[in-house]
Amino acid sequence: MSEAAKSSSIVSAVATLLENYAAGKRNFSNANLANAQLQGENLKGVDLSYADLSQAKLSNANLRGADLSYADLSQADLTGADLRGSLLLGANLRQAELKNAKLEGADYDRNTHFPENFDPVSAGMQQR
C-alpha cells in the first residue's frame, strides 16, 4: 500500500471512530490507528484494547476511564492527556511521551511496558 493510501485510510479510520463515538459507540477494540491525529479529542470511556496507536498524536486527549489494555502506544504523544482511571494492562508505552499526562488511578500490570526512567508509582498509577 502506498504512503498516500495509508495516510488516507488512517484519516478515514479516525473520522469513522469519531463519528461512531459521537453516536454512542465505545468499542473500538483492535482498531488500527497508527499515526492517528487525535489531539484534544474526547474519547472518555472508549475501549481501544488491542488497538494499534503507535506514533498516534493523543496530546491533551480525554482518555479518562479508557480501556487501553494490550494497546500499542509505542512512540505515541500523550502529552497532557487525561488517562485517569484508564486500564493500561499489558500496554506498550515504549518511547511514548507522557509529559504532564494525568495518570492517577490508572491500572497497569507487570506486562505493561513504560518509557525508560518512567515511574508509574510516582505518577499515581496502581499495579494490578
Side-chain angles (χ1 to χ4, degrees):
M1 184 181 294
S2 73
E3 286 303 312
K6 283 182 192 174
S7 180
S8 176
S9 69
I10 291 166
V11 170
S12 173
V14 168
T16 301
L17 170 104
L18 296 175
E19 186 178 301
N20 286 328
Y21 184 91
K25 185 176 179 191
R26 296 295 179 265
N27 186 352
F28 301 97
S29 187
N30 292 304
N32 183 2
L33 295 164
N35 299 297
Q37 303 289 318
L38 292 163
Q39 304 93 312
E41 294 293 346
N42 178 15
L43 297 170
K44 183 178 178 182
V46 72
D47 180 354
L48 287 167
S49 57
Y50 298 94
D52 182 355
L53 290 156
S54 58
Q55 300 180 30
K57 307 292 185 248
L58 293 156
S59 57
N60 300 309
N62 181 357
L63 294 163
R64 195 168 187 166
D67 185 351
L68 296 162
S69 298
Y70 303 98
D72 182 358
L73 290 151
S74 59
Q75 301 179 41
D77 182 1
L78 292 157
T79 304
D82 188 348
L83 291 152
R84 290 176 288 182
S86 63
L87 295 174
L88 292 162
L89 308 174
N92 179 5
L93 291 154
R94 288 185 181 105
Q95 298 179 346
E97 180 58 64
L98 294 170
K99 184 178 181 185
N100 298 322
K102 297 170 191 77
L103 290 157
E104 296 85 2
D107 291 334
Y108 70 99
D109 64 12
R110 60 185 178 85
N111 296 314
T112 305
H113 298 283
F114 292 105
E116 203 172 306
N117 300 320
F118 178 80
D119 180 12
V121 174
S122 67
M125 298 178 72
Q126 51 202 23
Q127 185 170 6
R128 273 205 191 170

